[in-house]
Amino acid sequence: MNPITRIAGAAVGSTVFAALLAAGCATSPSPAELDAQARAAVKASFRDQGIAKATRIDQDALQAACSSDKPPNEQLVEQIQADAMRSVRWPAGGQYLGDWRAGEKLAQDGRGMTWTDASDDPKGNGGNCYNCHQIDKKELSYGTIGPSLWNYGKQRGVADPSSPVSAPIVQYTWAKLYNAKAFAACSTMPRFGYKHLLNEQQMRDLMALLLDPKSPVNQ
């Protein structure tokens, strides 16, 4: 084969390859189709079993916004936080604190909401706080996803949780436990009250652990 024939053949081959490549690209799934395929694969991987329902994988608008490939814009962040704050239900009778001893047990307990549980009543759940936070200086193992809770109330000047002076911190802490998205739109903290992961008394007990001056957290 002479040089001219080889060059012509190479040119034709390159043209055919480019055409095939273009055709392949034209038939590739779109981002929307890939997203739909991923959702279908995830949905097919879960089933209802006991109290654990497959609907747990369904995202609400907030979760969808915060798991997008682009972070929510400032306007959406403000909307998410405002909606979350409106969702907060304040404790009956304005009673914010319970028993810090019960709160300490809750904070160190990660049990609950599994398919083997007989009921989805939150009374059997733990708070799982140790998984993300340091609670006590004596702890050998604790999570660091969230800030340390050691001296939480003491550092914030809560000498008497029932005092009007302490009210802003007490109310902030309750709202943070109830629905943390009120302060950080894409917070990874569980929405304990909003999602019925803990009941009102359990939240009071955790509040006491954090704010009661007698709690080991504040010693």
Coordinates of all heavy atoms in Angstrom, one line a residue, residues 125-207:
N125 N -36.7 4.6 72.5 CA -35.5 5.1 71.7 C -34.4 5.7 72.6 O -34.7 6.2 73.7 CB -35.9 6.1 70.7 CG -36.8 5.5 69.6 OD1 -36.9 4.3 69.5 ND2 -37.4 6.4 68.8
G126 N -33.2 5.7 72.1 CA -32.2 6.5 72.8 C -31.9 7.7 72.0 O -32.4 7.9 70.8
G127 N -31.1 8.6 72.5 CA -30.7 9.9 71.8 C -29.5 9.7 70.9 O -29.3 10.5 70.0
N128 N -28.6 8.7 71.2 CA -27.5 8.5 70.4 C -26.5 9.7 70.4 O -25.7 9.8 69.4 CB -27.9 8.1 69.0 CG -26.8 7.3 68.3 OD1 -26.1 6.5 68.9 ND2 -26.8 7.4 67.0
C129 N -26.5 10.5 71.4 CA -25.7 11.8 71.4 C -24.2 11.5 71.4 O -23.5 12.2 70.7 CB -26.1 12.6 72.6 SG -27.9 12.9 72.8
Y130 N -23.8 10.4 72.1 CA -22.4 10.1 72.1 C -21.8 9.8 70.8 O -20.6 9.9 70.6 CB -22.2 8.9 73.1 CG -22.6 7.6 72.4 CD1 -21.6 6.8 71.8 CD2 -23.9 7.1 72.4 CE1 -21.9 5.6 71.2 CE2 -24.2 6.0 71.8 CZ -23.3 5.2 71.2 OH -23.6 4.0 70.5
N131 N -22.6 9.4 69.8 CA -22.1 9.1 68.5 C -21.5 10.3 67.8 O -20.7 10.1 66.8 CB -23.2 8.4 67.7 CG -22.7 7.5 66.6 OD1 -21.7 6.8 66.8 ND2 -23.3 7.5 65.5
C132 N -21.9 11.5 68.1 CA -21.5 12.7 67.5 C -20.8 13.7 68.4 O -20.2 14.6 67.9 CB -22.7 13.4 66.8 SG -23.4 12.4 65.5
H133 N -21.0 13.6 69.7 CA -20.6 14.6 70.6 C -19.8 14.0 71.8 O -20.1 12.9 72.2 CB -21.7 15.4 71.2 CG -22.6 16.0 70.2 ND1 -22.4 17.3 69.7 CD2 -23.8 15.6 69.7 CE1 -23.3 17.6 68.9 NE2 -24.2 16.6 68.8
Q134 N -18.9 14.7 72.4 CA -18.3 14.4 73.7 C -19.3 14.9 74.7 O -19.8 16.1 74.6 CB -17.0 15.0 73.9 CG -16.3 14.7 75.2 CD -15.1 15.5 75.5 OE1 -14.9 16.7 75.0 NE2 -14.1 14.9 76.2
I135 N -19.6 14.1 75.7 CA -20.6 14.5 76.7 C -19.9 14.7 78.1 O -20.2 15.6 78.9 CB -21.7 13.5 76.8 CG1 -22.4 13.4 75.5 CG2 -22.7 13.9 77.9 CD1 -23.4 12.2 75.4
D136 N -18.9 13.8 78.3 CA -18.3 13.8 79.6 C -16.8 13.6 79.4 O -16.3 12.8 78.6 CB -18.8 12.6 80.5 CG -18.4 12.7 81.9 OD1 -17.2 12.8 82.2 OD2 -19.3 12.6 82.8
K137 N -16.0 14.3 80.2 CA -14.5 14.2 80.1 C -14.0 12.8 80.4 O -12.9 12.4 80.0 CB -13.9 15.2 81.1 CG -14.0 16.6 80.7 CD -13.1 16.9 79.4 CE -13.1 18.4 79.1 NZ -12.3 18.7 77.9
K138 N -14.8 12.0 81.1 CA -14.4 10.6 81.4 C -14.6 9.6 80.2 O -14.1 8.5 80.3 CB -15.2 10.1 82.6 CG -15.0 10.8 83.9 CD -15.6 10.2 85.1 CE -17.1 10.1 85.0 NZ -17.8 11.4 85.1
E139 N -15.3 10.0 79.2 CA -15.5 9.2 78.1 C -14.2 8.8 77.4 O -13.4 9.7 77.1 CB -16.5 9.8 77.1 CG -17.9 9.9 77.6 CD -18.8 10.7 76.6 OE1 -18.3 11.7 76.0 OE2 -19.9 10.3 76.5
L140 N -14.1 7.6 77.0 CA -12.9 7.1 76.2 C -13.2 7.1 74.7 O -12.3 7.2 73.9 CB -12.5 5.7 76.6 CG -12.1 5.5 78.1 CD1 -11.8 4.1 78.4 CD2 -10.9 6.4 78.4
S141 N -14.5 7.0 74.4 CA -14.9 7.0 73.0 C -16.1 7.8 72.7 O -17.1 7.7 73.5 CB -15.1 5.5 72.5 OG -15.6 5.5 71.2
Y142 N -16.0 8.7 71.8 CA -17.1 9.6 71.4 C -17.0 10.1 70.0 O -15.8 10.1 69.5 CB -17.3 10.7 72.5 CG -16.0 11.5 72.7 CD1 -15.6 12.5 71.8 CD2 -15.1 11.2 73.7 CE1 -14.5 13.2 72.0 CE2 -13.9 11.9 73.9 CZ -13.6 12.9 73.1 OH -12.4 13.6 73.2
G143 N -18.0 10.6 69.5 CA -18.0 11.2 68.1 C -17.5 12.6 68.1 O -17.5 13.3 69.1
T144 N -17.0 13.0 66.9 CA -16.5 14.4 66.8 C -17.2 15.1 65.6 O -16.7 16.1 65.2 CB -15.0 14.4 66.6 OG1 -14.7 13.5 65.4 CG2 -14.3 13.8 67.8
I145 N -18.3 14.5 65.1 CA -19.0 15.2 64.0 C -19.6 16.5 64.5 O -19.6 17.5 63.8 CB -20.1 14.3 63.5 CG1 -19.6 13.0 62.9 CG2 -21.0 15.0 62.5 CD1 -20.6 12.0 62.4
G146 N -20.1 16.5 65.8 CA -20.6 17.7 66.4 C -19.7 18.2 67.5 O -18.7 17.5 67.9
P147 N -19.9 19.4 68.0 CA -19.0 20.0 69.0 C -19.2 19.3 70.4 O -20.2 18.6 70.6 CB -19.5 21.4 69.1 CG -21.0 21.3 68.7 CD -21.0 20.3 67.6
S148 N -18.2 19.4 71.2 CA -18.3 18.9 72.6 C -19.4 19.5 73.3 O -19.7 20.7 73.2 CB -17.0 19.1 73.3 OG -17.1 18.7 74.7
L149 N -20.1 18.7 74.1 CA -21.2 19.2 74.9 C -20.8 19.4 76.4 O -21.6 19.8 77.2 CB -22.4 18.3 74.9 CG -23.0 18.1 73.5 CD1 -24.2 17.1 73.5 CD2 -23.5 19.4 72.9
W150 N -19.5 19.1 76.7 CA -19.0 19.3 78.0 C -19.2 20.8 78.5 O -18.8 21.7 77.8 CB -17.5 18.9 78.0 CG -16.8 19.1 79.3 CD1 -15.8 20.0 79.6 CD2 -17.1 18.4 80.6 NE1 -15.5 19.9 80.9 CE2 -16.2 19.0 81.5 CE3 -18.0 17.4 81.0 CZ2 -16.2 18.5 82.9 CZ3 -17.9 17.0 82.3 CH2 -17.0 17.5 83.2
N151 N -19.7 20.9 79.7 CA -20.0 22.3 80.2 C -20.9 23.1 79.4 O -20.8 24.3 79.3 CB -18.7 23.0 80.5 CG -18.0 22.6 81.8 OD1 -16.9 23.1 82.1 ND2 -18.5 21.6 82.5
Y152 N -21.8 22.4 78.7 CA -22.7 23.1 77.8 C -23.4 24.3 78.4 O -23.4 25.4 77.9 CB -23.7 22.2 77.2 CG -24.7 22.8 76.2 CD1 -24.4 22.9 74.9 CD2 -25.9 23.3 76.7 CE1 -25.3 23.5 74.0 CE2 -26.8 23.9 75.8 CZ -26.5 24.0 74.5 OH -27.4 24.7 73.6
G153 N -24.1 24.0 79.5 CA -24.9 25.1 80.2 C -24.0 26.1 80.9 O -24.2 27.3 80.9
K154 N -22.9 25.5 81.6 CA -22.0 26.4 82.3 C -21.3 27.4 81.4 O -21.2 28.6 81.8 CB -20.9 25.5 83.0 CG -20.1 26.2 84.0 CD -19.2 25.1 84.7 CE -18.3 25.7 85.8 NZ -17.5 24.7 86.5
Q155 N -20.9 27.0 80.3 CA -20.2 27.9 79.4 C -21.1 29.0 78.8 O -20.7 30.1 78.4 CB -19.6 27.1 78.2 CG -18.4 26.3 78.5 CD -17.9 25.5 77.3 OE1 -18.5 25.5 76.2 NE2 -16.7 24.9 77.5
R156 N -22.4 28.7 78.9 CA -23.4 29.7 78.4 C -24.0 30.5 79.5 O -25.0 31.2 79.3 CB -24.5 29.0 77.5 CG -23.9 28.5 76.2 CD -24.7 27.4 75.6 NE -24.1 27.0 74.3 CZ -23.1 26.2 74.2 NH1 -22.5 25.7 75.2 NH2 -22.6 25.9 73.0
G157 N -23.5 30.4 80.7 CA -23.9 31.2 81.8 C -25.3 30.8 82.4 O -25.9 31.6 83.0
V158 N -25.7 29.5 82.3 CA -26.9 29.1 82.8 C -26.7 28.6 84.2 O -26.5 27.4 84.5 CB -27.6 28.0 81.9 CG1 -28.9 27.5 82.5 CG2 -27.7 28.5 80.5
A159 N -26.9 29.5 85.2 CA -26.8 29.1 86.6 C -28.1 28.7 87.1 O -28.2 27.8 88.0 CB -26.3 30.3 87.4
D160 N -29.2 29.2 86.6 CA -30.5 28.8 87.0 C -31.4 28.7 85.7 O -31.8 29.8 85.1 CB -31.1 29.9 87.9 CG -32.6 29.5 88.3 OD1 -33.1 28.5 87.9 OD2 -33.2 30.4 89.0
P161 N -31.7 27.5 85.2 CA -32.4 27.4 84.0 C -33.8 28.0 84.0 O -34.4 28.3 82.9 CB -32.5 25.8 83.8 CG -31.4 25.3 84.6 CD -31.2 26.2 85.8
S162 N -34.4 28.2 85.2 CA -35.7 28.8 85.3 C -35.7 30.3 85.3 O -36.8 30.9 85.2 CB -36.4 28.3 86.6 OG -35.7 28.7 87.7
S163 N -34.5 30.9 85.4 CA -34.4 32.3 85.4 C -34.7 32.9 84.0 O -34.3 32.4 83.0 CB -33.0 32.7 85.8 OG -32.7 34.1 85.6
P164 N -35.4 34.1 84.0 CA -35.6 34.8 82.7 C -34.3 35.1 81.9 O -34.3 35.1 80.7 CB -36.3 36.1 83.1 CG -37.0 35.7 84.4 CD -36.0 34.8 85.1
V165 N -33.2 35.3 82.7 CA -31.9 35.5 82.0 C -31.5 34.3 81.2 O -30.8 34.5 80.1 CB -30.9 35.8 83.1 CG1 -29.5 36.0 82.5 CG2 -31.3 37.1 83.9
S166 N -31.9 33.1 81.6 CA -31.5 31.9 80.9 C -32.4 31.5 79.8 O -32.1 30.6 79.0 CB -31.4 30.7 81.9 OG -30.4 31.0 82.9
A167 N -33.5 32.2 79.7 CA -34.6 31.8 78.7 C -34.1 31.7 77.3 O -34.4 30.7 76.6 CB -35.8 32.8 78.8
P168 N -33.3 32.7 76.8 CA -32.9 32.6 75.4 C -32.1 31.3 75.1 O -32.3 30.6 74.0 CB -32.0 33.8 75.2 CG -32.5 34.8 76.2 CD -32.9 34.0 77.4
I169 N -31.2 30.9 76.0 CA -30.4 29.7 75.8 C -31.2 28.4 75.9 O -31.1 27.5 75.2 CB -29.2 29.6 76.8 CG1 -28.2 30.7 76.4 CG2 -28.5 28.3 76.8 CD1 -27.6 30.6 75.1
V170 N -32.1 28.5 76.9 CA -33.0 27.3 77.1 C -33.9 27.1 75.9 O -34.0 26.0 75.4 CB -33.9 27.5 78.4 CG1 -35.0 26.5 78.5 CG2 -33.0 27.6 79.7
Q171 N -34.5 28.2 75.4 CA -35.4 28.0 74.2 C -34.6 27.6 73.0 O -35.1 26.8 72.2 CB -36.1 29.3 74.0 CG -37.1 29.6 75.1 CD -37.7 31.0 75.1 OE1 -37.4 31.8 74.2 NE2 -38.5 31.4 76.1
Y172 N -33.4 28.2 72.8 CA -32.5 27.8 71.7 C -32.2 26.3 71.7 O -32.3 25.6 70.7 CB -31.2 28.6 71.7 CG -30.2 28.0 70.9 CD1 -30.1 28.2 69.5 CD2 -29.2 27.2 71.4 CE1 -29.1 27.6 68.7 CE2 -28.2 26.6 70.7 CZ -28.1 26.8 69.3 OH -27.2 26.3 68.5
T173 N -31.9 25.8 72.9 CA -31.5 24.4 73.0 C -32.7 23.5 72.7 O -32.5 22.5 72.1 CB -31.0 24.1 74.5 OG1 -29.9 25.1 74.7 CG2 -30.4 22.7 74.6
W174 N -33.9 23.9 73.2 CA -35.0 23.1 72.9 C -35.3 23.0 71.4 O -35.5 22.0 70.8 CB -36.3 23.7 73.6 CG -37.5 22.9 73.3 CD1 -38.4 23.0 72.3 CD2 -38.0 21.7 74.1 NE1 -39.4 22.1 72.3 CE2 -39.2 21.3 73.4 CE3 -37.6 21.1 75.2 CZ2 -39.9 20.2 73.9 CZ3 -38.3 20.0 75.7 CH2 -39.5 19.6 75.0
A175 N -35.2 24.2 70.8 CA -35.5 24.3 69.3 C -34.4 23.5 68.5 O -34.7 22.8 67.5 CB -35.5 25.7 68.8
K176 N -33.2 23.5 69.0 CA -32.1 22.8 68.4 C -32.3 21.3 68.4 O -32.1 20.6 67.5 CB -30.8 23.2 69.0 CG -29.6 22.5 68.4 CD -29.1 23.3 67.2 CE -27.8 22.8 66.7 NZ -27.3 23.5 65.5
L177 N -32.8 20.8 69.6 CA -33.1 19.4 69.7 C -34.3 19.0 68.9 O -34.4 18.0 68.3 CB -33.4 19.0 71.2 CG -32.1 19.0 72.1 CD1 -32.6 18.8 73.6 CD2 -31.2 17.9 71.7
Y178 N -35.3 19.9 68.9 CA -36.6 19.6 68.2 C -36.4 19.5 66.7 O -36.8 18.6 66.0 CB -37.6 20.6 68.5 CG -39.0 20.2 68.1 CD1 -39.9 19.6 69.1 CD2 -39.5 20.3 66.8 CE1 -41.1 19.2 68.7 CE2 -40.8 19.9 66.5 CZ -41.6 19.3 67.5 OH -42.8 18.9 67.1
N179 N -35.7 20.6 66.1 CA -35.5 20.6 64.7 C -34.3 21.5 64.4 O -34.3 22.7 64.3 CB -36.7 21.2 63.9 CG -36.6 21.0 62.4 OD1 -35.5 20.7 61.9 ND2 -37.7 21.1 61.7
A180 N -33.1 20.9 64.3 CA -31.8 21.6 64.2 C -31.7 22.4 62.9 O -30.9 23.3 62.8 CB -30.7 20.6 64.3
K181 N -32.6 22.1 61.9 CA -32.6 22.8 60.7 C -33.0 24.2 60.8 O -32.8 25.1 59.9 CB -33.5 22.1 59.6 CG -33.4 20.6 59.5 CD -32.0 20.2 59.0 CE -32.0 18.6 58.8 NZ -30.7 18.1 58.4
A182 N -33.6 24.6 62.0 CA -34.0 25.9 62.2 C -32.8 26.9 62.3 O -32.9 28.1 62.1 CB -34.8 26.0 63.5
F183 N -31.6 26.3 62.6 CA -30.4 27.1 62.8 C -29.3 26.8 61.7 O -28.4 27.7 61.5 CB -29.8 26.9 64.2 CG -30.8 27.2 65.2 CD1 -31.5 26.1 65.9 CD2 -31.1 28.5 65.6 CE1 -32.4 26.4 66.9 CE2 -32.1 28.7 66.6 CZ -32.7 27.7 67.2
A184 N -29.4 25.7 61.1 CA -28.4 25.3 60.0 C -29.2 24.4 59.0 O -29.5 23.3 59.3 CB -27.2 24.6 60.6
A185 N -29.5 25.0 57.9 CA -30.4 24.3 57.0 C -30.0 22.9 56.6 O -30.9 22.0 56.5 CB -30.5 25.1 55.7
C186 N -28.8 22.7 56.5 CA -28.3 21.3 56.1 C -27.6 20.6 57.2 O -26.7 19.8 57.0 CB -27.4 21.4 54.9 SG -28.3 21.9 53.4
S187 N -28.0 20.9 58.5 CA -27.4 20.3 59.6 C -27.6 18.8 59.5 O -28.7 18.3 59.1 CB -28.1 20.8 60.9 OG -27.7 20.0 62.0
T188 N -26.6 18.0 60.0 CA -26.7 16.6 60.0 C -27.3 16.0 61.3 O -27.5 14.8 61.5 CB -25.4 15.9 59.8 OG1 -24.5 16.4 60.8 CG2 -24.8 16.2 58.4
M189 N -27.7 16.9 62.2 CA -28.2 16.5 63.5 C -29.7 16.0 63.3 O -30.5 16.6 62.6 CB -28.2 17.7 64.5 CG -28.7 17.4 65.9 SD -28.4 18.8 67.0 CE -29.3 18.3 68.4
P190 N -30.0 14.9 64.0 CA -31.4 14.4 63.8 C -32.4 15.4 64.3 O -32.2 16.2 65.2 CB -31.4 13.2 64.7 CG -29.9 12.8 64.9 CD -29.2 14.0 64.8
R191 N -33.6 15.4 63.7 CA -34.7 16.3 64.0 C -35.5 15.5 65.1 O -36.6 15.0 64.7 CB -35.5 16.7 62.8 CG -34.7 17.5 61.8 CD -35.4 17.8 60.5 NE -35.3 16.7 59.6 CZ -35.9 16.7 58.4 NH1 -36.6 17.7 58.0 NH2 -35.8 15.6 57.6
F192 N -35.1 15.5 66.3 CA -35.6 14.6 67.3 C -37.1 14.8 67.6 O -37.9 13.8 67.6 CB -34.9 14.8 68.6 CG -33.5 14.2 68.6 CD1 -32.4 15.1 68.7 CD2 -33.3 12.9 68.6 CE1 -31.1 14.6 68.7 CE2 -32.0 12.4 68.5 CZ -30.9 13.2 68.6
G193 N -37.6 16.0 67.7 CA -39.0 16.3 67.9 C -39.8 16.2 66.7 O -40.8 15.5 66.6
Y194 N -39.3 16.9 65.6 CA -40.0 16.9 64.4 C -40.3 15.6 63.7 O -41.3 15.3 63.2 CB -39.3 17.8 63.4 CG -39.9 18.0 62.1 CD1 -41.1 18.8 61.9 CD2 -39.4 17.4 60.9 CE1 -41.7 19.0 60.7 CE2 -40.0 17.5 59.7 CZ -41.1 18.3 59.6 OH -41.7 18.5 58.3
K195 N -39.3 14.7 63.8 CA -39.4 13.4 63.3 C -39.9 12.3 64.3 O -39.9 11.1 64.0 CB -38.1 12.9 62.7 CG -37.7 13.6 61.4 CD -38.7 13.2 60.3 CE -38.3 13.8 58.9 NZ -39.2 13.4 57.8
H196 N -40.3 12.8 65.4 CA -40.9 11.9 66.5 C -39.9 10.8 66.8 O -40.2 9.6 67.1 CB -42.2 11.2 66.0 CG -43.2 12.2 65.5 ND1 -43.8 13.1 66.3 CD2 -43.7 12.5 64.3 CE1 -44.6 13.9 65.6 NE2 -44.5 13.5 64.4
L197 N -38.6 11.1 66.9 CA -37.5 10.2 67.3 C -37.5 10.1 68.9 O -37.1 9.1 69.4 CB -36.2 10.6 66.8 CG -36.1 10.8 65.3 CD1 -34.7 11.3 64.8 CD2 -36.4 9.4 64.6
L198 N -37.8 11.2 69.5 CA -37.9 11.3 71.0 C -39.2 12.0 71.3 O -39.8 12.8 70.6 CB -36.8 12.1 71.6 CG -35.4 11.5 71.3 CD1 -34.3 12.5 71.9 CD2 -35.2 10.2 72.0
N199 N -39.8 11.6 72.5 CA -41.0 12.2 72.9 C -40.7 13.5 73.8 O -39.5 13.7 74.1 CB -42.0 11.3 73.7 CG -41.3 10.6 74.9 OD1 -40.5 11.3 75.6 ND2 -41.7 9.4 75.2
E200 N -41.7 14.2 74.2 CA -41.5 15.4 74.9 C -40.7 15.2 76.2 O -39.8 16.0 76.6 CB -42.8 16.1 75.2 CG -42.6 17.5 75.7 CD -44.0 18.3 75.7 OE1 -44.5 18.6 74.6 OE2 -44.5 18.5 76.8
Q201 N -41.0 14.1 77.0 CA -40.4 13.9 78.2 C -38.9 13.5 78.0 O -38.0 14.0 78.8 CB -41.1 12.8 79.0 CG -40.5 12.5 80.4 CD -40.4 13.8 81.3 OE1 -41.5 14.5 81.4 NE2 -39.3 14.1 81.9
Q202 N -38.6 12.8 77.0 CA -37.2 12.4 76.7 C -36.4 13.7 76.3 O -35.3 13.8 76.7 CB -37.2 11.4 75.5 CG -37.7 10.0 75.9 CD -37.8 9.2 74.7 OE1 -38.4 9.6 73.6 NE2 -37.4 7.9 74.8
M203 N -37.0 14.6 75.6 CA -36.4 15.8 75.3 C -36.1 16.7 76.5 O -35.1 17.3 76.7 CB -37.2 16.6 74.2 CG -37.1 16.0 72.8 SD -37.9 17.0 71.6 CE -37.1 18.6 71.7
R204 N -37.1 16.7 77.4 CA -36.9 17.4 78.7 C -35.7 16.8 79.5 O -34.9 17.5 80.0 CB -38.1 17.3 79.6 CG -39.3 18.1 79.1 CD -40.3 18.2 80.3 NE -41.5 18.9 79.9 CZ -42.7 18.4 79.5 NH1 -42.8 17.0 79.5 NH2 -43.7 19.1 79.2
D205 N -35.6 15.5 79.4 CA -34.5 14.8 80.2 C -33.1 15.2 79.5 O -32.1 15.4 80.2 CB -34.7 13.3 80.2 CG -35.9 12.9 81.0 OD1 -36.3 13.7 81.9 OD2 -36.4 11.8 80.8
L206 N -33.1 15.2 78.2 CA -31.8 15.6 77.6 C -31.5 17.1 77.8 O -30.3 17.5 78.0 CB -31.9 15.4 76.0 CG -31.8 14.0 75.5 CD1 -31.9 14.0 74.0 CD2 -30.4 13.4 76.0
M207 N -32.5 17.9 77.9 CA -32.4 19.3 78.2 C -31.7 19.5 79.6 O -30.9 20.3 79.8 CB -33.7 20.1 78.2 CG -34.3 20.3 76.8 SD -33.5 21.6 75.9 CE -34.1 23.0 76.9

